[in-house]
Amino acid sequence: MKETAYWTWFIIAALVIFVIAGLHMVVMHLPMFGVFNPESGAVTDWGNVAFRSKNQFLAFTYIILLGAVLYHGFYGLRTIVFELGPKKSFQDGFTVILWIVGLVLFGIGTYAAIAAKALETAL
Amino acid sequence: MEKETEKANSITVYIRRFDPEKDAAPRQQQYTLQVEKGMTVLDGLHMIKQTQDPTINFRFSCRMGVCGSCGMMINGVPALSCNTQILDVTTTALTLAPLPNFKLIKDLVADLVPMFGVLKGLQLHIRRNDVEEMEKPTYEYYQTPHQLEEFLQFTYCIKCGCCMAACPTMATDREYPGPAPLAQAYRYNADSRDDARDARGDLVAASHGIFSCHYAGECSNVCPKGVDPARAIQLMKKDLVLSYFGLAKHKCAHLHKKPDKATYKAKIEAPPHTV
Amino acid sequence: MANKQFDNHLGIVGWLGGGRWGVERYLYILQRLTGLGLLLFFMMHIFASSVRICGPESWAAAMKILKNPVLKLGEFCVFVLFSFHALNGIRLILIELGLAVGKAEEPVYPYKSSLNNQRPLMVIAMVLVAIIIIAGGYNTIFGSH
């Protein structure tokens, strides 16, 4: 039953990623949709980056995407490693390590998204 | 047409040999075989055993694709040797090896017992909560043809182990139940007469359980009976997810209602025990 | 006798080929590899994108590094991995939730399996992957950024 829960959320995370990362791709790589990139020039120019960082909606989707990708990716990694048939003790330890690393990375990414909201549009 | 005599075809047969008393690892031995049209791989093995090398070991029983004893790798594909004609596979070289992902007993004989153990552990029989009725049945359980069709395909499994040999997850994961047991678990979970879906679901949804299937599809490709274990496994995943969200439709069969005009004998005597 | 049995498990080689090599087998292994690649990229991406909190100068310096043609190619590879993993993933979700494998049916020789049920979906997914990769490649080479 526990595994059903893990797996179901793995699938839900996949769908979330499909939608949000799809949006992210459109924003970053199809500059003709200029809503989130008001400045002329590349999407990675500071003006555009600062604009996107201050946008509440994008900051929110970044955090959701971050959590979803970390969960989806680490569950997938865990599945692959488990299928290699390691010892039970290794499996338990590996799950704990993935949770810790995942939460730390989530913390870093979330901090960056929130801190970036305070940025001034430079120059 | 009758003038057209079937030319006997000479092919090379490579057989994986392993004697646990002598060999540390399997080795390959080469034979030459005259093949005729219609000759199965099992016929070929018998021919070699009778005329060339009596020490070859292989397992068979029914010789007609029913018992599931003679599964082996035939030119790299798991199949029943009684069910595969040599000329359908090759006209030059035939490579025979035991089913992988099992332990090897001798030559072409793989040890299927662990698979049977897993099958046993999954409680593959109708389980009901109305124990009294199970012990002393009064009527049949009601089941429509449509309800039968939901699991009929999966009842054709002969436990030959071909799917287990083809499965990539089985290749590394010793705790994974494998396609055949999972398909059989679904066969009983999809049976409208069964009452133990949740218990069986918990068994297969454990770690290294049903979610280690990623639909490589090999089991369904090689199944000699068209059972399609991959389909059963995906349908079972669907049921598990639905029941996780509390959306599963529980459709356990009730006792068959007696038709109005039908009459039953007062008491049906069970035949005496023979054993 | 039992203790003298030979362990005939294929090991990790069996992930690549245990029996007949169906198309779905390749997709299964590619899904794993692309997933691992994307996870690796994503870890780096978290840190690279976090540079923006250090201010415009650090950001400009970081972006200058990423302008390197090798990294540009790497970015395109990530895009390829992502498009495959996403679209094949959608196919797998539909299959694994039992939506694309059809219903149980009487096995009549020559057997058809759920693989036949999902094959149109697989073809559509792969064609879309090809189109997206070509479009993305065009955008990378001729695009404005």
Side-chain angles (χ1 to χ4, degrees):
Chain A
M1 199 61 209
K2 204 169 146 199
E3 205 65 24
T4 312
Y6 276 165
W7 187 80
T8 308
W9 286 101
F10 168 76
I11 295 298
I12 293 170
L15 293 170
V16 168
I17 296 166
F18 189 79
V19 174
I20 302 183
L23 177 73
H24 182 64
M25 289 284 177
V26 170
V27 170
M28 298 306 289
H29 298 285
L30 297 174
M32 49 281 229
F33 298 100
V35 193
F36 295 113
N37 298 306
E39 310 259 326
S40 57
V43 285
T44 47
D45 284 354
W46 181 251
N48 285 328
V49 171
F51 177 83
R52 288 200 306 272
S53 296
K54 287 167 81 174
N55 184 307
Q56 198 122 18
F57 170 73
L58 282 183
F60 177 71
T61 56
Y62 282 163
I63 294 172
I64 300 283
L65 181 63
L66 176 70
V69 172
L70 284 172
Y71 180 77
H72 185 84
F74 281 175
Y75 181 81
L77 179 65
R78 176 178 172 272
T79 306
I80 294 174
V81 170
F82 275 29
E83 276 173 27
L84 289 169
K87 288 199 189 93
K88 182 83 179 72
S89 51
F90 180 88
Q91 293 179 14
D92 294 343
F94 193 68
T95 307
V96 173
I97 290 169
L98 284 184
W99 272 110
I100 293 170
V101 174
L103 287 173
V104 167
L105 286 176
F106 184 71
I108 294 172
T110 310
Y111 169 74
I114 291 170
K117 260 170 68 59
L119 289 174
E120 292 296 317
T121 309
L123 307 176
Chain B
M1 291 295 274
E2 283 176 19
K3 281 180 188 169
E4 218 176 87
T5 48
E6 290 300 336
K7 252 196 345 194
N9 215 337
S10 180
I11 65 163
T12 316
V13 184
Y14 301 94
I15 298 180
R16 190 84 61 88
R17 303 295 307 270
F18 173 71
D19 184 347
E21 303 297 330
K22 294 178 196 160
D23 302 329
R27 62 199 159 82
Q28 197 140 282
Q29 201 163 335
Q30 191 177 333
Y31 303 90
T32 309
L33 180 68
Q34 295 296 115
V35 184
E36 288 161 18
K37 195 182 174 191
M39 192 180 212
T40 65
V41 173
L42 188 61
D43 293 337
L45 278 169
H46 277 296
M47 189 70 87
I48 293 173
K49 193 175 171 85
Q50 284 164 9
T51 59
Q52 300 181 43
D53 186 351
T55 64
I56 296 181
N57 292 277
F58 50 94
R59 180 174 50 210
F60 72 97
S61 180
C62 74
R63 295 179 283 183
M64 48 195 256
V66 173
C67 73
S69 304
C70 65
M72 59 182 69
M73 295 293 270
I74 300 170
N75 276 9
V77 180
L80 297 180
S81 61
C82 65
N83 217 2
T84 311
Q85 294 190 11
I86 297 175
L87 291 178
D88 282 353
V89 181
T90 179
T91 48
T92 49
L94 183 68
T95 309
L96 301 178
L99 290 179
N101 304 342
F102 290 104
K103 288 197 168 158
L104 177 53
I105 297 175
K106 208 172 186 185
D107 291 353
L108 297 173
V109 186
D111 184 10
L112 303 183
V113 171
M115 177 178 74
F116 299 145
V118 175
L119 283 161
K120 226 172 186 176
L122 289 176
Q123 307 175 346
L124 303 177
H125 49 89
I126 301 277
R127 287 177 64 210
R128 303 221 14 136
N129 293 332
D130 46 358
V131 181
E132 182 68 17
E133 177 65 26
M134 289 295 276
E135 297 295 329
K136 290 176 185 160
T138 51
Y139 296 110
E140 297 112 354
Y141 291 113
Y142 183 75
Q143 191 165 56
T144 63
H146 176 70
Q147 286 171 329
L148 175 69
E149 277 168 16
E150 281 184 24
F151 65 85
L152 184 63
Q153 176 176 29
F154 311 120
T155 62
Y156 289 100
C157 175
I158 55 173
K159 283 92 182 169
C160 61
C162 286
C163 54
M164 311 281 276
C167 174
T169 307
M170 287 300 296
T172 49
D173 194 343
R174 309 297 165 94
E175 294 170 57
Y176 181 57
L182 289 174
Q184 288 315 295
Y186 181 71
R187 175 254 174 273
Y188 282 95
N189 268 20
D191 193 321
S192 61
R193 297 164 296 181
D194 186 76
D195 234 356
R197 286 180 192 82
D198 294 339
R200 219 175 277 116
D202 282 352
L203 283 176
V204 298
S207 183
H208 297 272
I210 193 162
F211 297 112
S212 291
C213 164
H214 311 290
Y215 203 75
E218 296 286 323
C219 52
S220 297
N221 265 336
V222 301
C223 180
K225 303 300 281 185
V227 169
D228 204 349
R231 174 184 280 154
I233 294 171
Q234 312 320 315
L235 292 175
M236 186 145 190
K237 281 183 197 167
K238 175 186 172 186
D239 284 358
L240 286 168
V241 170
L242 284 177
S243 64
Y244 173 64
F245 288 116
L247 299 170
K249 280 179 280 173
H250 232 58
K251 43 189 177 176
C252 195
H254 298 293
L255 281 179
H256 180 47
K257 275 186 199 148
K258 193 171 95 174
D260 292 340
K261 288 179 184 170
T263 53
Y264 282 84
K265 284 182 186 170
K267 195 183 175 194
I268 302 170
E269 285 286 334
H273 290 292
T274 52
V275 186
Chain C
M1 187 188 76
N3 56 354
K4 283 205 158 187
Q5 288 178 346
F6 179 75
D7 187 358
N8 202 19
H9 280 72
L10 286 171
I12 201 161
V13 179
W15 286 8
L16 297 172
R20 192 170 290 158
W21 287 51
V23 184
E24 287 75 15
R25 182 62 160 267
Y26 287 107
L27 298 184
Y28 147 85
I29 201 74
L30 279 175
Q31 185 77 0
R32 295 211 138 169
L33 295 175
T34 52
L36 289 175
L38 286 170
L39 186 61
L40 190 69
F41 160 77
F42 189 74
M43 306 266 230
M44 297 190 290
H45 190 53
I46 292 177
F47 291 105
S49 305
S50 299
V51 171
R52 68 184 188 275
I53 59 174
C54 302
E57 290 80 21
S58 316
W59 178 258
M63 285 306 111
K64 208 174 168 194
I65 299 171
L66 295 185
K67 283 277 183 322
N68 182 324
V70 177
L71 289 175
K72 211 73 186 148
L73 182 69
E75 197 185 13
F76 179 67
C77 287
V78 170
F79 175 75
V80 170
L81 297 189
F82 177 76
S83 1
F84 174 83
H85 195 87
L87 283 161
N88 191 44
I90 290 293
R91 175 187 77 97
L92 283 173
I93 288 174
L94 289 174
I95 287 170
E96 298 200 25
L97 292 178
L99 301 172
V101 290
K103 285 181 174 174
E105 57 194 46
E106 184 82 3
V108 178
Y109 195 84
Y111 303 127
K112 288 207 163 131
S113 70
S114 55
L115 292 164
N116 300 73
N117 291 66
Q118 60 81 46
R119 195 142 292 147
L121 187 65
M122 188 270 285
V123 172
I124 292 170
M126 289 308 113
V127 169
L128 281 178
V129 170
I131 291 173
I132 290 175
I133 289 175
I134 291 167
Y138 182 84
N139 193 27
T140 306
I141 298 167
F142 302 107
S144 56
H145 60 288

